[in-house]
Amino acid sequence: MGLQGDASKEWFQRASQVLVNGVSSQFRYWGDDDTLVIERGEGGYLIDVDGRRYLDLQCGFGPIILGHGEPSVVAAVAEAAAEATSFAMTQRREVEAAEKVIAALGWPTRMRFTNTGTEATMHAIRLARGMTGRDVVIKFEGQYHGMHDYVLFSTAGGPPGGLGSRFRPNPWQSSSGIPDAIRSYIRTLPYNDLEIVERTFRNEGGQIAAVIVEPMLGNAFGILPAEGYLEGLRRLCDEYGAMLIFDEVKTGFRLGLGGAVAHFGVTPDIGTYAKALGNGFPVAAVALGEWAAEGWRQGGIAQAGTYSGNGIAASAAKATIEALEDGDAYARIEKTGTRMMEGLAKVLADRGVPGHVVGHPAMFSVFLAEEAPREFRDAARHDAHTYDTVVFKMIEKGVMPCPDAKEPWFLCAAQTVEDADRAVEAFADSLDEVLAGRSA
Ligand SMILES: Cc1ncc(COP(=O)(O)O)c(C=O)c1O
């Protein structure tokens, strides 16, 4: 018996006849009996084809920041759909949206729109290589930067125990089909360990084009940077002439309007944004400091995209930023998220279950181990079996975080403190059932 009701079962079987494994993205496949089919979203909730309601703590893997079907964003997109899609020319809505993005972020001098986070990080890396004339890129274990070949190494889907020595890590290839030669252009290092980054720069600084980093580990428990870590990356990039790329696809417009740059106070050369930028509509951006902007301005480093900056994406971004500027969305998320984090931590403490609630109120995870994690390798200590069992029970109770603990719980402004209490209660009841099953 799985999570599917009768209608989900029927729709999933239909889906499997046309979509491989019934999904359009491999991360959505939870198994043949557990992959639900959703009818619609409403504020902070999802409703599946059986009519079951779920408190949505996936928020689409991060994009939903205001709430599903946010009226002002829907209205802006509807207007644009009638007048402004793709013109093969710059359009008014695109300019207005870019002005909004640059003003909200505060640090870039220029930007360009793309359509997905994958496209944004691909362009960011090419730009860094084109500007520095170097090929090697440093990324960190447990971080995900999208689906292009250059970054599909040592992502959070990999085995934390199989990464080799931390001083000479193995880049774990997250997919077949990547040419062997690509591996020689990537260095996958443990996160939050500046000494290893420093040593890598000392050894081969002349070949390193860029450091690409999720400022906090948005794909590995929401682990936060240690004090001084991001500043250290900035210093090393400056010292060795490499570009610092912040992949803010998850943190951007989620930790606040200024994203991780404003939150942590460190400025990259290039920033990639997507997800919360469009409240669920497909829009992404590459934001550039002066040095990086010069690369595209002078030409010779390719960047293009048929749909980049299209009217629907641009209007979604503009309307989302306006709603985030005008309302109390971030204050609401902070309040709901803090209540949820504290509630979950208390549930663990009251039952003597070793664990930590890690991250930021807008994106956090439950890590089940004695000691809090500092880097992705610590995932080997997390009690995934207990966590997964608890989360499946929560979903049966109508509260839906991602069943993979490495994927943070995402909140949106449409959710309330009552929702926070509901989530904590579902977690407590589900954990109690698991513990009772063990002692029986
Ligand atoms: C940090 C980060 N970068 C890039 C991506 C890729 O974005 P997309 O799925 O829009 O291609 C993701 C997706 O989850 C992400 O979390």
Side-chain angles (χ1 to χ4, degrees), residues 27 61 115-121 143-147 214 216 218-219 247-251 272 274-275 283-284 407:
F27 302 128
F61 292 147
N115 303 286
T116 65
T118 295
E119 219 185 315
T121 63
Q143 304 211 335
Y144 175 65
H145 302 295
M147 274 284 153
E214 285 183 77
M216 64 183 275
N219 289 278
D247 181 357
E248 289 229 48
V249 165
K250 276 190 169 162
T251 53
T272 53
K275 302 214 181 218
V283 55
E407 181 71 18

PDB file of all heavy atoms in Angstrom, residues 27 61 115-121 143-147 214 216 218-219 247-251 272 274-275 283-284 407, ligand 1:
ATOM      1  N   PHE A  27      13.604  13.701 -10.088  1.00  0.00           N
ATOM      2  CA  PHE A  27      13.488  13.908  -8.636  1.00  0.00           C
ATOM      3  C   PHE A  27      12.037  13.804  -8.156  1.00  0.00           C
ATOM      4  O   PHE A  27      11.772  13.826  -6.967  1.00  0.00           O
ATOM      5  CB  PHE A  27      14.048  15.276  -8.240  1.00  0.00           C
ATOM      6  CG  PHE A  27      15.500  15.456  -8.632  1.00  0.00           C
ATOM      7  CD1 PHE A  27      15.918  16.570  -9.353  1.00  0.00           C
ATOM      8  CD2 PHE A  27      16.451  14.514  -8.282  1.00  0.00           C
ATOM      9  CE1 PHE A  27      17.247  16.735  -9.714  1.00  0.00           C
ATOM     10  CE2 PHE A  27      17.782  14.660  -8.643  1.00  0.00           C
ATOM     11  CZ  PHE A  27      18.184  15.776  -9.364  1.00  0.00           C
ATOM     12  N   PHE A  61      10.037  22.540  -4.706  1.00  0.00           N
ATOM     13  CA  PHE A  61      11.508  22.533  -4.507  1.00  0.00           C
ATOM     14  C   PHE A  61      12.028  23.963  -4.380  1.00  0.00           C
ATOM     15  O   PHE A  61      13.152  24.260  -4.757  1.00  0.00           O
ATOM     16  CB  PHE A  61      12.277  21.814  -5.618  1.00  0.00           C
ATOM     17  CG  PHE A  61      12.064  20.320  -5.689  1.00  0.00           C
ATOM     18  CD1 PHE A  61      12.082  19.666  -6.912  1.00  0.00           C
ATOM     19  CD2 PHE A  61      11.877  19.549  -4.551  1.00  0.00           C
ATOM     20  CE1 PHE A  61      11.898  18.291  -7.004  1.00  0.00           C
ATOM     21  CE2 PHE A  61      11.686  18.173  -4.620  1.00  0.00           C
ATOM     22  CZ  PHE A  61      11.696  17.546  -5.853  1.00  0.00           C
ATOM     23  N   ASN A 115      16.064  30.868 -18.545  1.00  0.00           N
ATOM     24  CA  ASN A 115      14.775  30.231 -18.252  1.00  0.00           C
ATOM     25  C   ASN A 115      14.814  29.288 -17.067  1.00  0.00           C
ATOM     26  O   ASN A 115      13.805  29.069 -16.411  1.00  0.00           O
ATOM     27  CB  ASN A 115      14.292  29.464 -19.485  1.00  0.00           C
ATOM     28  CG  ASN A 115      14.188  30.399 -20.673  1.00  0.00           C
ATOM     29  OD1 ASN A 115      13.275  31.202 -20.751  1.00  0.00           O
ATOM     30  ND2 ASN A 115      15.156  30.319 -21.571  1.00  0.00           N
ATOM     31  N   THR A 116      15.975  28.702 -16.810  1.00  0.00           N
ATOM     32  CA  THR A 116      16.105  27.744 -15.710  1.00  0.00           C
ATOM     33  C   THR A 116      17.412  27.991 -14.968  1.00  0.00           C
ATOM     34  O   THR A 116      18.329  28.654 -15.494  1.00  0.00           O
ATOM     35  CB  THR A 116      16.154  26.284 -16.227  1.00  0.00           C
ATOM     36  OG1 THR A 116      17.358  26.131 -17.003  1.00  0.00           O
ATOM     37  CG2 THR A 116      14.943  25.931 -17.061  1.00  0.00           C
ATOM     38  N   GLY A 117      17.488  27.404 -13.794  1.00  0.00           N
ATOM     39  CA  GLY A 117      18.719  27.493 -13.018  1.00  0.00           C
ATOM     40  C   GLY A 117      19.874  26.806 -13.727  1.00  0.00           C
ATOM     41  O   GLY A 117      21.021  27.264 -13.664  1.00  0.00           O
ATOM     42  N   THR A 118      19.574  25.697 -14.378  1.00  0.00           N
ATOM     43  CA  THR A 118      20.619  24.965 -15.106  1.00  0.00           C
ATOM     44  C   THR A 118      21.271  25.862 -16.155  1.00  0.00           C
ATOM     45  O   THR A 118      22.500  25.941 -16.272  1.00  0.00           O
ATOM     46  CB  THR A 118      20.002  23.729 -15.804  1.00  0.00           C
ATOM     47  OG1 THR A 118      19.532  22.832 -14.798  1.00  0.00           O
ATOM     48  CG2 THR A 118      20.998  23.023 -16.699  1.00  0.00           C
ATOM     49  N   GLU A 119      20.425  26.531 -16.897  1.00  0.00           N
ATOM     50  CA  GLU A 119      20.932  27.421 -17.952  1.00  0.00           C
ATOM     51  C   GLU A 119      21.749  28.562 -17.327  1.00  0.00           C
ATOM     52  O   GLU A 119      22.789  28.959 -17.869  1.00  0.00           O
ATOM     53  CB  GLU A 119      19.696  28.014 -18.629  1.00  0.00           C
ATOM     54  CG  GLU A 119      19.766  28.161 -20.098  1.00  0.00           C
ATOM     55  CD  GLU A 119      18.511  28.878 -20.590  1.00  0.00           C
ATOM     56  OE1 GLU A 119      17.381  28.543 -20.163  1.00  0.00           O
ATOM     57  OE2 GLU A 119      18.676  29.798 -21.396  1.00  0.00           O
ATOM     58  N   ALA A 120      21.284  29.050 -16.186  1.00  0.00           N
ATOM     59  CA  ALA A 120      21.977  30.173 -15.544  1.00  0.00           C
ATOM     60  C   ALA A 120      23.380  29.755 -15.090  1.00  0.00           C
ATOM     61  O   ALA A 120      24.357  30.474 -15.329  1.00  0.00           O
ATOM     62  CB  ALA A 120      21.160  30.690 -14.358  1.00  0.00           C
ATOM     63  N   THR A 121      23.508  28.580 -14.458  1.00  0.00           N
ATOM     64  CA  THR A 121      24.847  28.183 -13.968  1.00  0.00           C
ATOM     65  C   THR A 121      25.754  27.809 -15.140  1.00  0.00           C
ATOM     66  O   THR A 121      26.958  28.051 -15.097  1.00  0.00           O
ATOM     67  CB  THR A 121      24.785  27.021 -12.961  1.00  0.00           C
ATOM     68  OG1 THR A 121      24.261  25.851 -13.597  1.00  0.00           O
ATOM     69  CG2 THR A 121      23.943  27.375 -11.749  1.00  0.00           C
ATOM     70  N   GLN A 143      26.440  19.858  -3.258  1.00  0.00           N
ATOM     71  CA  GLN A 143      25.778  20.985  -3.901  1.00  0.00           C
ATOM     72  C   GLN A 143      25.328  20.570  -5.301  1.00  0.00           C
ATOM     73  O   GLN A 143      25.999  19.798  -5.989  1.00  0.00           O
ATOM     74  CB  GLN A 143      26.725  22.178  -3.978  1.00  0.00           C
ATOM     75  CG  GLN A 143      27.249  22.545  -2.609  1.00  0.00           C
ATOM     76  CD  GLN A 143      27.538  24.014  -2.428  1.00  0.00           C
ATOM     77  OE1 GLN A 143      27.797  24.727  -3.383  1.00  0.00           O
ATOM     78  NE2 GLN A 143      27.501  24.474  -1.204  1.00  0.00           N
ATOM     79  N   TYR A 144      24.195  21.116  -5.694  1.00  0.00           N
ATOM     80  CA  TYR A 144      23.606  20.826  -6.986  1.00  0.00           C
ATOM     81  C   TYR A 144      23.491  22.138  -7.746  1.00  0.00           C
ATOM     82  O   TYR A 144      23.007  23.128  -7.187  1.00  0.00           O
ATOM     83  CB  TYR A 144      22.224  20.197  -6.783  1.00  0.00           C
ATOM     84  CG  TYR A 144      21.447  19.950  -8.053  1.00  0.00           C
ATOM     85  CD1 TYR A 144      21.897  19.043  -9.010  1.00  0.00           C
ATOM     86  CD2 TYR A 144      20.245  20.611  -8.294  1.00  0.00           C
ATOM     87  CE1 TYR A 144      21.175  18.809 -10.170  1.00  0.00           C
ATOM     88  CE2 TYR A 144      19.508  20.384  -9.444  1.00  0.00           C
ATOM     89  CZ  TYR A 144      19.981  19.478 -10.382  1.00  0.00           C
ATOM     90  OH  TYR A 144      19.261  19.255 -11.529  1.00  0.00           O
ATOM     91  N   HIS A 145      23.969  22.141  -8.966  1.00  0.00           N
ATOM     92  CA  HIS A 145      23.904  23.380  -9.745  1.00  0.00           C
ATOM     93  C   HIS A 145      23.157  23.169 -11.058  1.00  0.00           C
ATOM     94  O   HIS A 145      23.326  23.950 -11.993  1.00  0.00           O
ATOM     95  CB  HIS A 145      25.313  23.907 -10.020  1.00  0.00           C
ATOM     96  CG  HIS A 145      26.104  24.161  -8.765  1.00  0.00           C
ATOM     97  ND1 HIS A 145      25.751  25.132  -7.853  1.00  0.00           N
ATOM     98  CD2 HIS A 145      27.198  23.543  -8.246  1.00  0.00           C
ATOM     99  CE1 HIS A 145      26.612  25.122  -6.835  1.00  0.00           C
ATOM    100  NE2 HIS A 145      27.494  24.160  -7.055  1.00  0.00           N
ATOM    101  N   GLY A 146      22.378  22.096 -11.132  1.00  0.00           N
ATOM    102  CA  GLY A 146      21.599  21.870 -12.338  1.00  0.00           C
ATOM    103  C   GLY A 146      22.113  20.671 -13.110  1.00  0.00           C
ATOM    104  O   GLY A 146      22.968  19.913 -12.640  1.00  0.00           O
ATOM    105  N   MET A 147      21.605  20.510 -14.328  1.00  0.00           N
ATOM    106  CA  MET A 147      21.725  19.257 -15.063  1.00  0.00           C
ATOM    107  C   MET A 147      22.770  19.270 -16.171  1.00  0.00           C
ATOM    108  O   MET A 147      22.826  18.335 -16.956  1.00  0.00           O
ATOM    109  CB  MET A 147      20.353  18.891 -15.651  1.00  0.00           C
ATOM    110  CG  MET A 147      19.477  18.129 -14.693  1.00  0.00           C
ATOM    111  SD  MET A 147      20.025  16.410 -14.582  1.00  0.00           S
ATOM    112  CE  MET A 147      19.487  15.967 -12.950  1.00  0.00           C
ATOM    113  N   GLU A 214      26.761  27.198  -3.541  1.00  0.00           N
ATOM    114  CA  GLU A 214      25.476  27.578  -2.956  1.00  0.00           C
ATOM    115  C   GLU A 214      25.850  28.173  -1.602  1.00  0.00           C
ATOM    116  O   GLU A 214      26.410  27.450  -0.760  1.00  0.00           O
ATOM    117  CB  GLU A 214      24.611  26.349  -2.720  1.00  0.00           C
ATOM    118  CG  GLU A 214      23.972  25.740  -3.931  1.00  0.00           C
ATOM    119  CD  GLU A 214      23.085  24.563  -3.524  1.00  0.00           C
ATOM    120  OE1 GLU A 214      21.982  24.793  -3.024  1.00  0.00           O
ATOM    121  OE2 GLU A 214      23.521  23.416  -3.671  1.00  0.00           O
ATOM    122  N   MET A 216      24.420  28.685   1.145  1.00  0.00           N
ATOM    123  CA  MET A 216      24.113  27.652   2.130  1.00  0.00           C
ATOM    124  C   MET A 216      23.687  26.410   1.352  1.00  0.00           C
ATOM    125  O   MET A 216      23.265  26.519   0.200  1.00  0.00           O
ATOM    126  CB  MET A 216      23.027  28.102   3.107  1.00  0.00           C
ATOM    127  CG  MET A 216      21.669  28.356   2.492  1.00  0.00           C
ATOM    128  SD  MET A 216      20.424  28.976   3.670  1.00  0.00           S
ATOM    129  CE  MET A 216      19.802  27.449   4.370  1.00  0.00           C
ATOM    130  N   GLY A 218      21.588  24.352  -0.072  1.00  0.00           N
ATOM    131  CA  GLY A 218      20.155  24.226  -0.373  1.00  0.00           C
ATOM    132  C   GLY A 218      19.748  22.853  -0.857  1.00  0.00           C
ATOM    133  O   GLY A 218      18.566  22.565  -0.959  1.00  0.00           O
ATOM    134  N   ASN A 219      20.729  22.017  -1.184  1.00  0.00           N
ATOM    135  CA  ASN A 219      20.412  20.657  -1.608  1.00  0.00           C
ATOM    136  C   ASN A 219      20.984  19.626  -0.649  1.00  0.00           C
ATOM    137  O   ASN A 219      20.974  18.431  -0.943  1.00  0.00           O
ATOM    138  CB  ASN A 219      20.939  20.420  -3.028  1.00  0.00           C
ATOM    139  CG  ASN A 219      20.132  21.200  -4.049  1.00  0.00           C
ATOM    140  OD1 ASN A 219      19.069  20.766  -4.462  1.00  0.00           O
ATOM    141  ND2 ASN A 219      20.601  22.383  -4.417  1.00  0.00           N
ATOM    142  N   ASP A 247      25.621  30.479  -6.476  1.00  0.00           N
ATOM    143  CA  ASP A 247      24.427  29.883  -7.051  1.00  0.00           C
ATOM    144  C   ASP A 247      23.284  30.097  -6.056  1.00  0.00           C
ATOM    145  O   ASP A 247      23.129  29.369  -5.089  1.00  0.00           O
ATOM    146  CB  ASP A 247      24.658  28.399  -7.336  1.00  0.00           C
ATOM    147  CG  ASP A 247      23.423  27.761  -7.961  1.00  0.00           C
ATOM    148  OD1 ASP A 247      22.403  28.459  -8.114  1.00  0.00           O
ATOM    149  OD2 ASP A 247      23.493  26.563  -8.295  1.00  0.00           O
ATOM    150  N   GLU A 248      22.506  31.120  -6.350  1.00  0.00           N
ATOM    151  CA  GLU A 248      21.404  31.508  -5.465  1.00  0.00           C
ATOM    152  C   GLU A 248      20.053  31.015  -5.996  1.00  0.00           C
ATOM    153  O   GLU A 248      19.022  31.612  -5.720  1.00  0.00           O
ATOM    154  CB  GLU A 248      21.380  33.033  -5.311  1.00  0.00           C
ATOM    155  CG  GLU A 248      22.526  33.587  -4.498  1.00  0.00           C
ATOM    156  CD  GLU A 248      22.013  34.562  -3.437  1.00  0.00           C
ATOM    157  OE1 GLU A 248      21.053  34.221  -2.723  1.00  0.00           O
ATOM    158  OE2 GLU A 248      22.569  35.666  -3.364  1.00  0.00           O
ATOM    159  N   VAL A 249      20.103  29.934  -6.770  1.00  0.00           N
ATOM    160  CA  VAL A 249      18.847  29.434  -7.339  1.00  0.00           C
ATOM    161  C   VAL A 249      17.846  29.103  -6.220  1.00  0.00           C
ATOM    162  O   VAL A 249      16.653  29.338  -6.365  1.00  0.00           O
ATOM    163  CB  VAL A 249      19.139  28.231  -8.260  1.00  0.00           C
ATOM    164  CG1 VAL A 249      17.876  27.450  -8.574  1.00  0.00           C
ATOM    165  CG2 VAL A 249      19.769  28.728  -9.563  1.00  0.00           C
ATOM    166  N   LYS A 250      18.341  28.606  -5.109  1.00  0.00           N
ATOM    167  CA  LYS A 250      17.420  28.324  -3.990  1.00  0.00           C
ATOM    168  C   LYS A 250      17.334  29.466  -2.975  1.00  0.00           C
ATOM    169  O   LYS A 250      16.274  29.740  -2.433  1.00  0.00           O
ATOM    170  CB  LYS A 250      17.808  27.017  -3.295  1.00  0.00           C
ATOM    171  CG  LYS A 250      17.218  25.805  -4.008  1.00  0.00           C
ATOM    172  CD  LYS A 250      17.358  24.524  -3.239  1.00  0.00           C
ATOM    173  CE  LYS A 250      16.503  23.426  -3.890  1.00  0.00           C
ATOM    174  NZ  LYS A 250      16.910  22.075  -3.474  1.00  0.00           N
ATOM    175  N   THR A 251      18.449  30.121  -2.710  1.00  0.00           N
ATOM    176  CA  THR A 251      18.437  31.165  -1.669  1.00  0.00           C
ATOM    177  C   THR A 251      17.923  32.505  -2.183  1.00  0.00           C
ATOM    178  O   THR A 251      17.375  33.301  -1.413  1.00  0.00           O
ATOM    179  CB  THR A 251      19.858  31.371  -1.106  1.00  0.00           C
ATOM    180  OG1 THR A 251      20.751  31.607  -2.218  1.00  0.00           O
ATOM    181  CG2 THR A 251      20.336  30.161  -0.329  1.00  0.00           C
ATOM    182  N   THR A 272      23.561  33.458  -9.709  1.00  0.00           N
ATOM    183  CA  THR A 272      22.508  32.831 -10.523  1.00  0.00           C
ATOM    184  C   THR A 272      21.236  32.735  -9.687  1.00  0.00           C
ATOM    185  O   THR A 272      21.272  32.346  -8.520  1.00  0.00           O
ATOM    186  CB  THR A 272      22.946  31.430 -10.998  1.00  0.00           C
ATOM    187  OG1 THR A 272      23.367  30.657  -9.871  1.00  0.00           O
ATOM    188  CG2 THR A 272      24.082  31.526 -11.995  1.00  0.00           C
ATOM    189  N   ALA A 274      16.797  31.893  -9.786  1.00  0.00           N
ATOM    190  CA  ALA A 274      15.671  31.258 -10.496  1.00  0.00           C
ATOM    191  C   ALA A 274      14.542  31.110  -9.474  1.00  0.00           C
ATOM    192  O   ALA A 274      14.248  32.049  -8.728  1.00  0.00           O
ATOM    193  CB  ALA A 274      16.097  29.918 -11.092  1.00  0.00           C
ATOM    194  N   LYS A 275      13.944  29.968  -9.411  1.00  0.00           N
ATOM    195  CA  LYS A 275      12.966  29.581  -8.386  1.00  0.00           C
ATOM    196  C   LYS A 275      12.122  30.732  -7.834  1.00  0.00           C
ATOM    197  O   LYS A 275      11.198  31.183  -8.492  1.00  0.00           O
ATOM    198  CB  LYS A 275      13.672  28.808  -7.281  1.00  0.00           C
ATOM    199  CG  LYS A 275      14.388  27.561  -7.861  1.00  0.00           C
ATOM    200  CD  LYS A 275      14.415  26.394  -6.965  1.00  0.00           C
ATOM    201  CE  LYS A 275      15.169  25.236  -7.609  1.00  0.00           C
ATOM    202  NZ  LYS A 275      14.649  23.944  -7.379  1.00  0.00           N
ATOM    203  N   VAL A 283      11.454  31.337 -14.755  1.00  0.00           N
ATOM    204  CA  VAL A 283      12.292  32.494 -15.060  1.00  0.00           C
ATOM    205  C   VAL A 283      13.561  32.367 -14.224  1.00  0.00           C
ATOM    206  O   VAL A 283      13.526  31.915 -13.087  1.00  0.00           O
ATOM    207  CB  VAL A 283      11.564  33.823 -14.751  1.00  0.00           C
ATOM    208  CG1 VAL A 283      11.044  33.912 -13.332  1.00  0.00           C
ATOM    209  CG2 VAL A 283      12.453  35.030 -15.067  1.00  0.00           C
ATOM    210  N   ALA A 284      14.671  32.742 -14.824  1.00  0.00           N
ATOM    211  CA  ALA A 284      15.951  32.693 -14.125  1.00  0.00           C
ATOM    212  C   ALA A 284      16.786  33.877 -14.596  1.00  0.00           C
ATOM    213  O   ALA A 284      16.436  34.549 -15.565  1.00  0.00           O
ATOM    214  CB  ALA A 284      16.668  31.377 -14.435  1.00  0.00           C
ATOM    215  N   GLU A 407      16.747  17.449   1.039  1.00  0.00           N
ATOM    216  CA  GLU A 407      15.985  18.546   0.416  1.00  0.00           C
ATOM    217  C   GLU A 407      15.262  19.306   1.533  1.00  0.00           C
ATOM    218  O   GLU A 407      14.424  18.745   2.240  1.00  0.00           O
ATOM    219  CB  GLU A 407      14.962  17.953  -0.568  1.00  0.00           C
ATOM    220  CG  GLU A 407      14.119  18.959  -1.300  1.00  0.00           C
ATOM    221  CD  GLU A 407      14.873  19.760  -2.359  1.00  0.00           C
ATOM    222  OE1 GLU A 407      15.965  19.330  -2.781  1.00  0.00           O
ATOM    223  OE2 GLU A 407      14.370  20.831  -2.723  1.00  0.00           O
TER     224      GLU A 407
HETATM  225  C1  LIG B   1      21.168  25.532  -6.250  1.00  0.00           C
HETATM  226  C2  LIG B   1      20.568  25.099  -7.547  1.00  0.00           C
HETATM  227  N1  LIG B   1      21.136  25.470  -8.700  1.00  0.00           N
HETATM  228  C3  LIG B   1      20.622  25.133  -9.887  1.00  0.00           C
HETATM  229  C4  LIG B   1      19.488  24.366  -9.954  1.00  0.00           C
HETATM  230  C5  LIG B   1      18.919  23.998 -11.290  1.00  0.00           C
HETATM  231  O1  LIG B   1      17.774  24.742 -11.527  1.00  0.00           O
HETATM  232  P1  LIG B   1      16.685  24.240 -12.594  1.00  0.00           P
HETATM  233  O2  LIG B   1      16.024  23.040 -12.008  1.00  0.00           O
HETATM  234  O3  LIG B   1      15.776  25.424 -12.738  1.00  0.00           O
HETATM  235  O4  LIG B   1      17.414  23.946 -13.847  1.00  0.00           O
HETATM  236  C6  LIG B   1      18.853  23.949  -8.780  1.00  0.00           C
HETATM  237  C7  LIG B   1      17.635  23.140  -8.825  1.00  0.00           C
HETATM  238  O5  LIG B   1      17.136  22.661  -7.836  1.00  0.00           O
HETATM  239  C8  LIG B   1      19.421  24.312  -7.539  1.00  0.00           C
HETATM  240  O6  LIG B   1      18.889  23.927  -6.379  1.00  0.00           O
END
